[in-house]
Amino acid sequence: MKNDLYKILVELSPNYKKNYLPSISIDCVVFGFHDASLKVLLLQLKNTTKWGLPGGYLKRDEDLNAGANRILKERTGAENIFLNQFKTFGKKNRSEEFFSDFPDDLWHKQRYISIAHYALINFEIVNPVIDQFSEACEWKEISELPELMMDHEDIFNEALLQLRRDLNYKPVGLNLLPEKFTMPELQKLYEIILDKKLNRGNFYRKMTRYEILEKLNETRKGGAHKAPDLYKFDEKKYKAALKTGLQESW
Amino acid sequence: MKNDLYKILVELSPNYKKNYLPSISIDCVVFGFHDASLKVLLLQLKNTTKWGLPGGYLKRDEDLNAGANRILKERTGAENIFLNQFKTFGKKNRSEEFFSDFPDDLWHKQRYISIAHYALINFEIVNPVIDQFSEACEWKEISELPELMMDHEDIFNEALLQLRRDLNYKPVGLNLLPEKFTMPELQKLYEIILDKKLNRGNFYRKMTRYEILEKLNETRKGGAHKAPDLYKFDEKKYKAALKTGLQESW
DNA sequence: ACAAAAGTGTTACCCTTACACCCATGT
DNA sequence: ACATGGGTGTAAGGGTAACACTTTTGT
């Protein structure tokens, strides 16, 4: 019973063997923020029910960094995306089950260690593109994830933890929000990532005190209530402030 | 001009090819604390002047975790060491220069990505062991590092940064200090890792307030001055406190 | 006597938390 | 009117930073 995915992999196997490093794969947890909720980009492989993180392999003549950026561009069409390598997953049987029905000499069936990255991307500029192995490429709400293949749920969970730890050290807001955003939108983003409610007045004051926001002479029209003010990040000041972290002691 | 290292590598090449995963190496930044200073374990390869981090390769049937522990055990004789994988280094030319005079079909000359770990180890229980490729294996003061091969200085610097960030989240003191230690010793450790002087009284109060230390009915005899009290960590409370981090807001 | 260690006190300052109040504005 | 947003006030509490003082004790 040879299905589409099977045929494609068998056909491509020799080419991969020639041009890509063995044993190494790259997986990306791509975060986007939209409609007051945090989403992650997932693929559904052909002939499977489970979903997976966008990923790929490293070319023999390619820096690790460049490989991750290339893979991301293929799936989203976007370039210069904020990418952070956060952990490498190397359990020996992490993909055994998935490939159990494939031929042993298939390049893809070898053992891989996966170098995991998370990406932060402006939801609005992404155009999800399926690849030749997939039949769907969609944004999924992080609180309603479908079942994931292999150890991709572990990878996702680690990415979310890392994102939380990075909130004061990396330009998370700058990369997840559109250029112009409102204070309630920014607060919502923080609340989702930190998984806790924050006090509105205190959040406003804290953000203002950092002096990393620039208030624009515009409001977000069209809502059901008072039009909120629009802000954008002062990128220079934001990044300067992140170098020492937005708060903390020692 | 075939030197010792050259001969050993050529001889072992086929065996490595058979039993180890290609393209993947593991490097360890091993920290130890002794004599009020932080040290790192380095090897000097045969026929070279530069030093390098202890490292090795991943066996085909071995979890990544297990591989790092095995490599560490070979170099230190110690087991169950605190190990933290912190970054993977994958520039395409990271080892090109080092192997330029070696034959192209040498297993070791292929391109590697290196999965870097840092280890925290009780200096007193380590017995540095040279491997077959090396002529020295020694502790070096982190402020007086010799010249390092390839990108090992980058790896070391990243490890130190990561260690600093982890100070409130990982059992750093527990793993770097002997079982019994004094308050001034603990403070010194924090000062070196954070690279700043800390106020003695405030440090004492802060540590006491965490309730992670257990004061023993003993003092450290033999010093030139008043014998300081000995403490040990209350391991349970220490680890419980680290789960949320020793301080910080949001 | 001297120097390090232990323990405590003090003060100013900053930040957080939690509430509460005002006003503005779009439907 | 009502819900949301913007902006500010305040009081309690907790941690930090910096300094200083005391007592203890080993050489």
Side-chain angles (χ1 to χ4, degrees):
Chain A
M1 212 10 225
K2 316 292 188 206
N3 60 36
D4 291 350
L5 181 61
Y6 190 104
K7 284 184 225 150
I8 294 172
L9 290 182
V10 168
E11 189 190 322
L12 289 176
S13 196
N15 178 44
Y16 272 96
K17 187 163 181 172
K18 182 169 161 226
N19 295 315
Y20 291 81
L21 283 178
S23 315
I24 296 169
S25 64
I26 295 173
D27 284 314
C28 298
V29 180
V30 184
F31 288 109
F33 186 66
H34 185 64
D35 258 355
S37 76
L38 193 60
K39 311 201 189 282
V40 62
L41 198 63
L42 296 178
L43 292 168
Q44 188 170 39
L45 292 191
K46 284 175 179 165
N47 312 114
T48 61
T49 55
K50 294 183 182 178
W51 293 70
L53 298 169
Y57 305 99
L58 186 59
K59 290 187 180 171
R60 290 187 180 274
D61 62 349
E62 183 180 51
D63 283 349
L64 174 54
N65 234 340
N69 274 288
R70 171 179 53 78
I71 289 165
L72 213 54
K73 190 188 167 189
E74 288 169 4
R75 289 286 72 62
T76 64
E79 287 186 87
N80 299 319
I81 292 175
F82 179 87
L83 249 179
N84 191 20
Q85 181 221 303
F86 67 94
K87 192 168 175 184
T88 296
F89 292 77
K91 274 212 182 325
K92 64 168 180 263
N93 57 356
R94 43 184 299 280
S95 59
E96 245 170 40
E97 192 193 332
F98 185 81
F99 285 108
S100 57
D101 294 338
F102 288 75
D104 284 346
D105 64 345
L106 184 72
W107 192 81
H108 300 73
K109 193 175 176 171
Q110 65 181 299
R111 175 185 172 187
Y112 288 97
I113 59 112
S114 169
I115 305 171
H117 298 66
Y118 74 79
L120 305 179
I121 195 164
N122 181 343
F123 184 90
E124 295 170 359
I125 66 162
V126 176
N127 186 17
V129 186
I130 63 167
D131 62 17
Q132 57 193 142
F133 314 112
S134 311
E135 58 185 22
C137 178
E138 294 173 14
W139 288 106
K140 298 285 184 185
E141 259 253 32
I142 63 162
S143 54
E144 296 165 8
L145 286 189
E147 205 180 344
L148 299 183
M149 57 192 270
M150 300 195 272
D151 57 356
H152 286 196
E153 190 171 331
D154 292 340
I155 298 177
F156 167 79
N157 287 329
E158 283 283 335
L160 194 52
L161 278 177
Q162 191 60 47
L163 179 60
R164 194 169 298 165
R165 280 191 289 259
D166 285 345
L167 198 49
N168 290 316
Y169 300 95
K170 308 272 180 185
V172 175
L174 184 64
N175 287 289
L176 277 179
L177 292 171
E179 195 195 343
K180 302 173 181 183
F181 53 87
T182 68
M183 197 62 90
E185 284 166 0
L186 180 61
Q187 180 173 348
K188 189 70 196 173
L189 175 61
Y190 269 67
E191 290 181 341
I192 290 175
I193 293 175
L194 296 168
D195 196 24
K196 61 158 75 166
K197 283 296 254 179
L198 301 172
N199 179 286
R200 186 187 58 81
N202 294 337
F203 184 83
Y204 169 85
R205 254 179 305 213
K206 190 167 183 169
M207 279 296 157
T208 306
R209 206 176 40 230
Y210 288 151
E211 295 184 327
I212 58 175
L213 297 181
E214 186 183 332
K215 187 174 178 167
L216 305 172
N217 288 321
E218 298 174 68
T219 55
R220 163 101 67 233
K221 315 279 187 185
H225 305 288
K226 175 180 177 180
D229 296 342
L230 283 168
Y231 293 82
K232 62 174 198 164
F233 282 103
D234 183 325
E235 201 168 325
K236 242 186 202 155
K237 288 186 184 169
Y238 188 13
K239 288 185 175 168
L242 289 169
K243 275 185 189 160
T244 57
L246 287 183
Q247 95 260 60
E248 274 195 305
S249 49
W250 320 106
Chain B
M1 205 23 219
K2 315 292 187 208
N3 61 35
D4 291 350
L5 181 61
Y6 191 102
K7 283 185 225 150
I8 294 172
L9 290 183
V10 168
E11 189 190 322
L12 289 177
S13 197
N15 177 44
Y16 272 96
K17 188 163 181 174
K18 182 169 160 225
N19 294 315
Y20 291 81
L21 283 179
S23 314
I24 296 169
S25 64
I26 295 173
D27 285 314
C28 298
V29 181
V30 184
F31 289 109
F33 185 67
H34 185 64
D35 258 354
S37 76
L38 194 59
K39 311 201 189 282
V40 62
L41 198 63
L42 295 179
L43 292 168
Q44 188 171 38
L45 292 192
K46 285 174 179 166
N47 311 113
T48 61
T49 55
K50 295 184 181 177
W51 294 69
L53 298 169
Y57 305 98
L58 187 59
K59 290 186 181 171
R60 291 187 179 275
D61 63 350
E62 184 180 51
D63 283 349
L64 174 55
N65 232 340
N69 274 288
R70 171 180 53 78
I71 288 164
L72 213 55
K73 191 189 165 187
E74 288 168 4
R75 288 287 70 64
T76 64
E79 287 185 88
N80 299 317
I81 291 173
F82 180 87
L83 249 179
N84 192 20
Q85 181 221 304
F86 67 93
K87 190 168 175 183
T88 296
F89 292 77
K91 274 212 182 326
K92 66 168 177 262
N93 57 356
R94 43 185 297 280
S95 59
E96 245 170 39
E97 191 194 331
F98 185 82
F99 285 108
S100 57
D101 294 337
F102 288 74
D104 285 345
D105 64 344
L106 184 73
W107 192 81
H108 299 74
K109 193 176 176 172
Q110 65 182 300
R111 174 184 173 189
Y112 288 98
I113 59 111
S114 169
I115 305 170
H117 297 66
Y118 74 78
L120 305 179
I121 194 163
N122 181 343
F123 184 90
E124 296 171 358
I125 67 162
V126 175
N127 186 19
V129 187
I130 62 167
D131 62 17
Q132 58 193 139
F133 314 112
S134 312
E135 57 187 23
C137 178
E138 294 172 15
W139 288 105
K140 299 284 182 184
E141 259 252 34
I142 62 162
S143 54
E144 298 166 9
L145 287 190
E147 205 179 345
L148 299 184
M149 56 191 271
M150 300 197 271
D151 57 355
H152 286 196
E153 191 172 330
D154 292 340
I155 298 178
F156 168 79
N157 287 329
E158 282 283 334
L160 194 53
L161 278 178
Q162 190 60 47
L163 179 59
R164 194 169 298 166
R165 281 192 287 261
D166 285 345
L167 198 48
N168 290 315
Y169 299 95
K170 307 273 181 185
V172 175
L174 185 63
N175 288 289
L176 277 178
L177 292 171
E179 195 196 342
K180 302 174 181 182
F181 54 89
T182 68
M183 197 62 90
E185 285 165 359
L186 181 61
Q187 180 173 348
K188 189 72 195 170
L189 175 61
Y190 270 67
E191 289 182 340
I192 290 176
I193 293 176
L194 296 168
D195 195 25
K196 61 158 75 168
K197 284 296 257 178
L198 300 173
N199 179 286
R200 188 189 57 79
N202 294 338
F203 183 82
Y204 170 85
R205 255 179 303 213
K206 191 167 181 168
M207 278 297 159
T208 306
R209 206 177 40 229
Y210 288 151
E211 294 184 326
I212 59 176
L213 296 180
E214 187 182 332
K215 187 174 179 169
L216 304 172
N217 287 321
E218 297 175 68
T219 54
R220 161 99 71 230
K221 313 280 188 186
H225 306 287
K226 175 181 175 181
D229 295 340
L230 283 168
Y231 293 82
K232 62 174 198 165
F233 282 103
D234 183 324
E235 200 168 325
K236 242 186 203 153
K237 288 186 186 170
Y238 188 11
K239 289 185 175 168
L242 290 169
K243 277 185 189 159
T244 56
L246 286 183
Q247 94 259 57
E248 273 194 305
S249 51
W250 314 112

